[in-house]
Amino acid sequence: MSLNQSDILDVVIVGGGLVGGLTALLLAQGGVQATVLDAAPILDAEKTQGVANPRVLALSQATIHLLQTVDVWDKLARQQPYTGMQVWNKNGYGEINFGHAAEHTPRVEQALGSMVEPSLLNLAIQEKMLEQLQDYRTQVKVTRVEQGVGVWIIHLADGTQLKTKLVIGADGANSFVREQAFIDLDVLDYKQAGVSCAIKTVQPHQHVARQIFLETGPLAFLPMASLKAEENGYWQSIVWTLPDDYADEYVALSDAEFTQLLTRESHHMLGEVLEATPRAKFPLKARAAQQYVRDGLALIGDAAHVIHPLAGQGVNIGCLDAAVLCDVLLTDKKRGVWAHEQTLKRYEHRRKGQNDAMMHSMSAIGWLETTTFFPIVWVRNFGLKQVENQTMLKDAFMAQANGLGALKDTIYASK
Ligand SMILES: Cc1cc2nc3c(=O)[nH]c(=O)nc-3n(C[C@H](O)[C@H](O)[C@H](O)COP(=O)(O)OP(=O)(O)OC[C@H]3O[C@@H](n4cnc5c(N)ncnc54)[C@H](O)[C@@H]3O)c2cc1C
């Protein structure tokens, strides 16, 4: 739909990734049509589904619930539920199991969450936005975002100007919206890198996510769905946190050298590592926006916070931002108020403290000894041994990690 340049829109979302897309779909469900601007092109469904992405996102129960709410979950071409988590120290001084990691036959219906390839998530979100939104623009270049009197003006490279009462910055870690709104950023460089790829093992993963603390850093084996039905159950995405120099060295190894190294370092826990896809390396940095909102503007997802990617919670806390922001906006809209300063402040109040606390808890314990999974960070604070025998502590942890508590007081509470 083309809009008259003089129209003042209710909301423009810059960034149509998982978090921006989810926000637009939740708003549409609540009767508010957002204009979504994304720099990326529409993905080709066949190509995207036909290639396995070596990286997976560990989605919490809350994220899955939100994706079900907007009818995106069933659009995913494949996903791998996990029913247990197992963590141990290479030196053998502790082990802890969550969910059904200790059972011989894991019950898939009791999943702790699910591992999903980011490309498949983006495809499903795009498809739903194309169905539901009246104004979803891709391959758009935003050149300026400026505050006018009671409106924000968004300038596009083709000369279009959009005026809006509310701009939502969902444009990722290097957010242009954040920069244009002069919101400062705190950055913590961990001086480490993550190395990630997909691997196939001799023994099946049995729907369990595994994590070993090695001298070099934590190594995670995350179950992933396979492209070939006969290989289902044997493929995993690994994420290895390493000092920068080790990461360079391991990425440069041949496939054979790398699979041998992994087999050795994982103590043959799933037998020999048979295959590995090319390794990707990514630097590890935490970032926190000093404010999430300004008058008529809100930041969500990675635009507001990037936590250690290996914590496995980045997109989950971004989806909680989306839910809480839509909750306050739609609740106030029913009272005849749209995107008021106080509405946005309520969003910031409900999300920033929680997100900052998660970020600080990870930074505080030092990343040379830390882990790929937020659950594990929590566990290390208490000691593996003590926690393994404490059902109440483990239950408390699971309640926090599944994210459902943060949805409790919103219109998206899970029944
Ligand atoms: C290696 C790795 C492993 C991870 N593992 C996990 C995990 O297991 N679990 C988890 O929850 N999280 C994980 N994360 C974090 C997760 O990937 C991010 O938190 C998540 O992708 C953020 O989503 P987003 O929508 O905020 O941003 P993005 O996914 O970055 O999306 C931003 C969107 O904005 C668009 N955009 C950018 N700039 C502009 C612009 N100027 N104009 C218009 N559009 C723009 C982009 O095209 C994109 O569509 C991991 C991250 C990494 C790097």
Side-chain angles (χ1 to χ4, degrees):
M1 188 181 79
S2 82
L3 292 163
N4 188 319
Q5 294 237 358
S6 63
D7 284 344
I8 297 182
L9 302 165
D10 279 335
V11 50
V12 172
I13 301 176
V14 181
L18 175 56
V19 176
L22 174 65
T23 307
L25 293 170
L26 290 172
L27 287 175
Q29 221 172 44
V32 176
Q33 276 287 333
T35 289
V36 175
L37 308 174
D38 199 283
I42 293 290
L43 294 164
D44 179 293
E46 213 172 308
K47 271 194 204 149
T48 308
Q49 290 169 357
V51 179
N53 197 311
R55 181 161 85 81
V56 289
L57 297 174
L59 301 189
S60 68
Q61 289 174 357
T63 299
I64 295 170
H65 169 71
L66 290 167
L67 292 172
Q68 285 166 339
T69 303
V70 293
D71 219 4
V72 164
W73 187 246
D74 289 338
K75 284 186 175 291
L76 286 172
R78 52 184 180 272
Q79 43 106 356
Q80 174 65 65
Y82 64 101
T83 56
M85 279 190 281
Q86 200 175 21
V87 186
W88 70 99
N89 197 297
K90 191 181 177 185
N91 299 325
Y93 68 72
E95 171 168 337
I96 182 165
N97 296 285
F98 286 102
H100 300 279
E103 292 182 11
H104 291 300
T105 317
R107 284 170 280 167
V108 180
E109 72 275 12
Q110 295 191 1
L112 300 175
S114 198
M115 305 290 177
V116 184
E117 295 156 54
S119 51
L120 297 181
L121 261 174
N122 282 334
L123 175 68
I125 282 274
Q126 281 190 346
E127 285 176 348
K128 195 66 194 174
M129 282 198 286
L130 286 169
E131 265 172 50
Q132 296 283 308
L133 304 187
Q134 291 165 7
D135 192 18
Y136 167 35
R137 309 182 198 188
T138 54
Q139 293 179 285
V140 172
K141 186 167 168 45
V142 177
T143 52
R144 216 164 110 209
V145 180
E146 61 171 334
Q147 194 168 20
V149 181
V151 291
W152 282 85
I153 305 155
I154 299 174
H155 300 257
L156 308 185
D158 66 4
T160 311
Q161 288 180 19
L162 301 174
K163 289 184 187 156
T164 181
K165 293 173 202 159
L166 171 64
V167 52
I168 298 178
D171 50 345
N174 299 313
S175 172
F176 184 63
V177 172
R178 184 184 62 219
E179 187 189 303
Q180 293 277 295
F182 300 106
I183 294 177
D184 286 335
L185 193 64
D186 294 325
V187 180
L188 173 62
D189 187 345
Y190 293 111
K191 305 222 179 300
Q192 289 179 313
V195 170
S196 181
C197 70
I199 59 160
K200 187 179 155 196
T201 51
V202 166
Q203 290 168 26
H205 52 62
Q206 292 200 300
H207 311 108
V208 174
R210 295 175 173 83
Q211 164 92 18
I212 322 169
F213 294 114
L214 301 171
E215 287 89 359
T216 42
L219 167 65
F221 280 41
L222 310 175
M224 67 186 294
S226 166
L227 276 178
K228 296 183 197 153
E230 68 276 16
E231 293 186 353
N232 237 337
Y234 294 87
W235 278 93
Q236 289 151 88
S237 173
I238 65 143
V239 189
W240 201 344
T241 304
L242 292 160
D244 281 328
D245 51 339
Y246 274 89
D248 289 335
E249 188 187 321
Y250 290 179
V251 165
L253 292 177
S254 70
D255 286 357
E257 287 168 327
F258 189 70
T259 51
Q260 279 165 21
L261 175 74
L262 265 186
T263 306
R264 209 170 45 242
E265 290 292 291
S266 65
H267 278 208
H268 295 73
M269 68 176 172
L270 292 176
E272 195 183 336
V273 177
L274 298 170
E275 282 180 51
T277 62
R279 270 75 65 201
K281 182 188 135 188
F282 44 91
L284 301 182
K285 278 185 193 165
R287 302 162 197 234
Q290 289 181 357
Q291 289 102 39
Y292 283 9
V293 300
R294 286 195 46 193
D295 203 7
L297 181 142
L299 300 177
I300 55 175
D302 277 18
H305 45 74
V306 177
I307 63 173
H308 196 298
L310 302 182
Q313 284 291 319
V315 92
N316 293 315
I317 62 173
C319 289
L320 292 176
D321 293 347
V324 171
L325 179 60
C326 292
D327 177 63
V328 294
L329 287 170
L330 294 172
T331 302
D332 280 2
K333 183 171 176 282
K334 280 199 184 136
R335 300 167 41 228
V337 177
W338 178 250
H340 190 271
E341 191 188 342
Q342 291 307 319
T343 311
L344 300 182
K345 282 277 177 211
R346 270 204 298 285
Y347 154 69
E348 182 178 63
H349 179 72
R350 281 165 65 179
R351 292 304 304 151
K352 192 170 189 310
Q354 280 195 18
N355 293 341
D356 286 351
M358 182 175 286
M359 191 173 293
H360 290 146
S361 73
M362 291 184 192
S363 304
I365 51 183
W367 277 103
L368 270 179
E369 289 190 342
T370 56
T371 178
T372 51
F373 255 12
F374 169 63
I376 314 321
V377 174
W378 185 88
V379 165
R380 282 193 72 92
N381 282 331
F382 290 90
L384 293 175
K385 268 190 181 161
Q386 284 96 317
V387 177
E388 176 58 2
N389 297 322
Q390 303 275 338
T391 314
M392 264 175 61
L393 274 182
K394 288 210 285 189
D395 288 350
F397 157 69
M398 289 316 292
Q400 191 187 350
N402 68 27
L404 293 172
L407 291 182
K408 197 163 53 71
D409 299 324
T410 71
I411 52 178
Y412 307 110
S414 152
K415 302 277 180 307

